[in-house]
């Protein structure tokens, strides 16, 4: 059972990661990335890290990737590349990739492989459960945790400030200012959606 | 051999788990067609007409006719669509609906059998994890249909689901803190003295409002918006695939009502002997589904900007405030 789950997760994760790079259409790349992230969550489950697995799906698989998909569905499909190629890119990329591979190999060989032949450490009770993770975060790693949350808060405030500044930049600019107001103004001119009980929604009932 | 994956509160032999999954699955699937006819009859009454009354005695056989009609239709896809993704979309929506049923508790452990699919320690996070996969069902089916209406509907649903999921999670956090557990079974057990709907009334109301939005029900059915988007992401679907969207909508309604029942309405608790527990749970769920139908018949659809400002400017601060106040009270008492 564990083996089946492991290989299903591993194939999903590797295949997804390869497909992200290989596919030309950004929409499909994002879909492949979703497959990759969900397979990773499956691998976390095998490692008894069910909270991390759930957080992985809710945060990355759910919220973050929906935004990616959102954006790539809107702007995707354009034929011209959105970036400019750096000169010598084709030569440089494999070299850098090889360097990274060697670096990671050294790190893995130097530390992790010793545990592969053994049974692995015994798990303390409640390992990976939300309760034990909460205790670790709020007692042992409190300072790190608070620092990370401050960083996130600053990023969120920064995003709001940047968005607000663009709105002030003046009406008429593309995609920014006054659009929310404009949109709601335009909508106000339309007749409001039919309340239930009018012929429109009655007809929908009949259709069902 | 039971699954070694992750930690569960209580696990039985594999065959018991298989049997009880089939039982829960069948019961819920029997309820869904009944719900469709109940909804149509109720809406008929709310609108001062009869509702379906031709097929069978007082129209009770209507769902059978509907299902046969949907199943008998030709399965086709528009030429502008992406066939594979077009087929995966409805399947994903159904998948997320069915998997989330697993954590609804219909009773405690009796004679070595827990009356629930599975009692995971991550509890309600399971619901959010699989619920978030439903986004992709809607987004994919809207995008892969190759139609502007479907695409707009899918985009609306994605924005709406993201906005309301946060309030939904925060609304539950109050009850989670009071019970001191994420597991739905422990949360129901913690409500022995008082149902959380009384101390957590704000959380309950926020959860229900966000639940209307998450299930794409009126007054938040903008992704479907028949008047402007001709059913949104479902426009190009027909036959059984359309039927699966319909089925998923009712499943999601059932699940959201089930979560609300477990968190705020005392779950399976009720007077009477122990074997009545699952009945109580189902009765409470059906009562909440009645509220869903009632609201649909009462309130007009919100405008898109109203929907967004309600979610971000009202529900989210309210839910955060609720969590803060609850946290202080839990620590003080």
């Amino acid at each position: 059972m564990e083996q089946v789950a492991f290989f299903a997760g591993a194939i999903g994760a590797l295949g997804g990661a390869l497909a992200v790079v290989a596919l030309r259409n950004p929409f499909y790349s994002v879909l492949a990335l979703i497959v990759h992230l969900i397979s990773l969550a499956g691998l976390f489950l095998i490692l008894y890290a069910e909270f991390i697995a759930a957080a992985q799906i809710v945060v990355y698989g759910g919220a973050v990737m929906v935004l990616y998909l959102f954006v790539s569905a809107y702007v995707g499909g354009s034929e011209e590349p959105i970036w400019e190629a750096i000169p010598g890119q084709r030569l440089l990329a494999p070299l850098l990739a090889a360097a990274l591979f060697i670096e990671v190999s050294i790190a893995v060989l130097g530390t992790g492989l010793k545990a592969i032949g053994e049974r692995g450490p015994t798990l303390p009770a409640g390992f990976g459960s939300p309760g034990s993770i909460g205790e670790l975060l709020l007692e042992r790693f409190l300072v790190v945790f608070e620092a990370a949350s401050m960083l996130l808060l600053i990023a969120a405030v920064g995003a709001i400030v940047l968005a607000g500044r663009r709105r002030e930049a003046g009406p008429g600019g593309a995609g920014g200012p006054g659009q929310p107001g404009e949109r709601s103004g335009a909508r106000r001119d339309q007749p409001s959606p039919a309340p239930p009980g009018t012929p429109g929604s009655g007809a929908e009932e009949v259709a069902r | 051999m039971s699954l070694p994956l992750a930690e569960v509160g209580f696990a039985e032999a594999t065959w018991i788990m298989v049997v009880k999954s089939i039982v829960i699955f069948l019961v819920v699937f029997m309820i869904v067609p009944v719900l469709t006819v109940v909804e149509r009859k109720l809406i008929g009454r709310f609108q001062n007409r009869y509702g379906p009354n031709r097929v069978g005695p007082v129209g009770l056989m209507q769902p059978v006719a509907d299902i046969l009609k949907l199943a008998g239709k030709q399965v086709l896809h528009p030429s502008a669509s992406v066939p594979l993704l077009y087929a995966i979309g409805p399947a994903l929506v159904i998948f997320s609906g069915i998997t989330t049923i697993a954590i609804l508790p219909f009773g405690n452990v009796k004679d070595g059998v827990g009356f629930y699919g599975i009692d995971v320690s991550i509890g309600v996070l399971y619901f959010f994890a699989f619920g978030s996969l439903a986004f992709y069902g809607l987004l994919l089916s809207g995008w892969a249909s190759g139609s502007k209406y479907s695409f707009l509907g899918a985009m609306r649903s994605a924005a709406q689901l993201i906005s309301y999921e946060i309030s939904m999670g925060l609304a539950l956090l109050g009850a989670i803190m009071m019970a001191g557990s994420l597991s739905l079974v422990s949360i129901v057990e913690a409500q022995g003295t008082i149902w959380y709907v009384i101390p957590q009334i704000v959380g309950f109301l926020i959860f229900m409002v966000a639940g209307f939005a998450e299930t794409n029900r009126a007054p938040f059915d903008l992704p479907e918006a028949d008047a402007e988007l001709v059913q949104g992401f479902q426009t190009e679907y027909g036959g059984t695939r359309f039927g699966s969207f319909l089925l998923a909508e009712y499943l999601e309604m059932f699940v959201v009502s089930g979560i609300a029942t477990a968190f705020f309405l005392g779950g399976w608790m009720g007077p009477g002997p122990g074997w009545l527990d699952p009945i109580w749970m189902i009765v409470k769920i059906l009562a909440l589904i009645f509220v869903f139908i009632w609201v649909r018949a009462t309130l007009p659809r919100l405008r898109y900007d109203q929907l967004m400002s309600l979610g971000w400017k009202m529900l989210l601060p309210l839910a955060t405030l609720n969590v803060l106040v609850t946290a202080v009270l839990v620590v003080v008492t």
Side-chain angles (χ1 to χ4, degrees):
Chain A
M1 193 63 217
E2 267 170 328
Q3 280 89 340
V4 176
F6 172 75
F7 280 107
I11 291 171
L14 287 178
L18 279 179
V20 173
V21 201
L23 289 171
R24 306 292 292 184
N25 187 333
F27 191 81
Y28 291 126
S29 286
V30 175
L31 288 185
L33 191 53
I34 294 166
V35 171
H36 170 73
L37 289 172
I38 291 174
S39 311
L40 273 192
L43 292 180
F44 287 145
L45 267 188
I46 304 177
L47 294 173
Y48 286 85
E50 58 253 35
F51 179 75
I52 307 285
Q56 168 94 2
I57 294 187
V58 173
V59 177
Y60 290 101
V64 175
M65 296 317 293
V66 166
L67 287 182
Y68 276 38
L69 208 58
F70 209 87
V71 171
S72 67
Y74 266 129
V75 300
S78 57
E79 287 303 315
E80 76 267 28
I82 356 177
W83 68 89
E84 278 177 34
I86 311 165
Q89 191 182 11
R90 285 185 183 279
L91 200 72
L92 220 56
L95 276 179
L96 287 178
L100 185 67
F101 179 74
I102 292 169
E103 201 176 342
V104 172
S105 302
I106 292 172
V108 168
L109 289 174
T111 55
L113 283 186
K114 265 172 268 163
I116 280 184
E118 302 162 16
R119 290 280 308 154
T122 49
L123 297 175
F127 176 82
S129 70
S132 65
I133 287 186
E135 256 169 37
L136 279 182
L137 282 182
L138 291 178
E139 283 173 11
R140 202 170 143 200
F141 299 111
L142 180 64
V143 179
V144 186
F145 177 67
E146 290 296 333
S149 43
M150 278 307 289
L151 194 65
L152 283 177
L153 188 66
I154 291 167
V157 171
I160 292 171
V161 168
L162 284 179
R165 186 178 297 160
R166 197 179 304 160
R167 192 169 302 162
E168 280 165 17
Q179 239 191 353
E182 253 170 54
R183 196 180 302 149
S184 63
R187 284 195 176 236
R188 218 161 282 141
D189 298 338
Q190 295 169 354
S192 59
T198 56
S201 78
E204 186 232 342
E205 276 323 296
V206 173
R208 284 197 173 177
Chain B
M1 189 184 99
S2 60
L3 295 181
L5 304 178
E7 194 172 324
V8 291
F10 179 79
E12 301 92 343
T14 307
W15 70 270
I16 299 183
M17 292 183 76
V18 172
V19 168
K20 76 181 184 185
S21 333
I22 294 174
V23 169
I24 293 175
F25 185 75
L26 284 182
V27 167
V28 174
F29 261 59
M30 292 297 124
I31 288 178
V32 166
V34 179
L35 281 182
T36 61
V37 73
V38 165
E39 167 155 33
R40 293 178 60 176
K41 286 206 84 87
L42 277 176
I43 294 234
R45 286 296 168 183
F46 282 123
Q47 295 168 352
N48 210 2
R49 55 187 173 86
Y50 285 114
N53 61 354
R54 298 288 148 164
V55 194
V58 288
L60 282 181
M61 299 302 281
Q62 187 67 40
V64 180
D66 287 348
I67 291 169
L68 284 179
K69 184 198 78 173
L70 282 177
K73 283 192 172 177
Q74 185 189 2
V75 175
L76 43 80
H77 55 83
S79 53
S81 69
V82 184
L84 180 65
L85 295 181
Y86 182 79
I88 289 179
L92 261 182
V93 178
I94 287 263
F95 171 78
S96 84
I98 291 173
T99 41
T100 38
I101 294 173
I103 58 164
L104 294 185
F106 292 95
N108 210 336
V109 181
K110 289 189 192 66
D111 302 326
V113 179
F115 276 52
Y116 40 77
I118 190 167
D119 179 21
V120 283
S121 70
I122 50 172
V124 75
L125 289 178
Y126 177 98
F127 162 69
F128 285 111
F130 281 101
S132 63
L133 293 185
F135 295 171
Y136 295 121
L138 304 185
L139 255 174
L140 280 185
S141 43
W143 186 82
S145 296
S147 141
K148 288 190 184 68
Y149 293 120
S150 303
F151 183 65
L152 282 176
M155 286 300 145
R156 276 188 184 184
S157 73
Q160 173 176 333
L161 290 177
I162 294 179
S163 310
Y164 280 80
E165 202 189 18
I166 307 170
S167 313
M168 207 176 188
L170 282 176
L172 292 181
L173 210 52
I176 293 172
M177 281 192 293
M178 287 186 72
S181 169
L182 278 172
S183 148
L184 270 77
V185 177
S186 332
I187 286 171
V188 173
E189 277 169 350
Q191 297 175 61
T193 48
I194 186 168
W195 290 1
Y196 285 162
V197 65
I198 297 166
Q200 284 292 324
I201 178 73
V202 182
F204 176 68
L205 293 178
I206 294 171
F207 182 81
M208 286 309 284
V209 173
F212 294 141
E214 288 281 304
T215 46
N216 291 335
R217 295 278 304 183
F220 300 111
D221 55 348
L222 282 141
E224 300 176 19
D226 355 34
E228 7 167 348
L229 286 184
V230 281
Q231 294 284 308
F233 58 89
Q234 310 173 351
T235 307
E236 306 297 333
Y237 283 88
T240 41
R241 283 177 184 162
F242 174 72
S244 52
F245 278 123
L246 208 57
L247 171 64
E249 184 181 323
Y250 283 96
L251 280 181
E252 276 169 18
M253 210 154 70
F254 191 88
V255 171
V256 168
S257 305
I259 301 267
T261 307
F263 268 85
F264 300 105
L265 298 181
W268 64 75
M269 296 198 178
W275 55 267
L276 272 177
D277 286 356
I279 313 275
W280 275 116
M281 180 75 184
I282 290 177
V283 165
K284 288 174 186 173
I285 290 177
L286 291 182
L288 283 183
I289 290 180
F290 174 75
V291 175
F292 269 84
I293 298 170
W294 189 4
V295 165
R296 172 177 172 187
T298 311
L299 296 176
R301 186 179 301 129
L302 287 173
R303 236 170 35 214
Y304 191 68
D305 58 320
Q306 290 173 330
L307 172 102
M308 282 300 156
S309 65
L310 175 73
W312 289 106
K313 294 181 187 164
M314 289 260 315
L315 291 186
L316 189 59
L318 254 184
T320 318
L321 202 66
N322 181 44
V323 168
L324 279 177
V325 172
T326 314
V328 170
L329 287 182
V330 164
V331 171
V332 167
T333 52

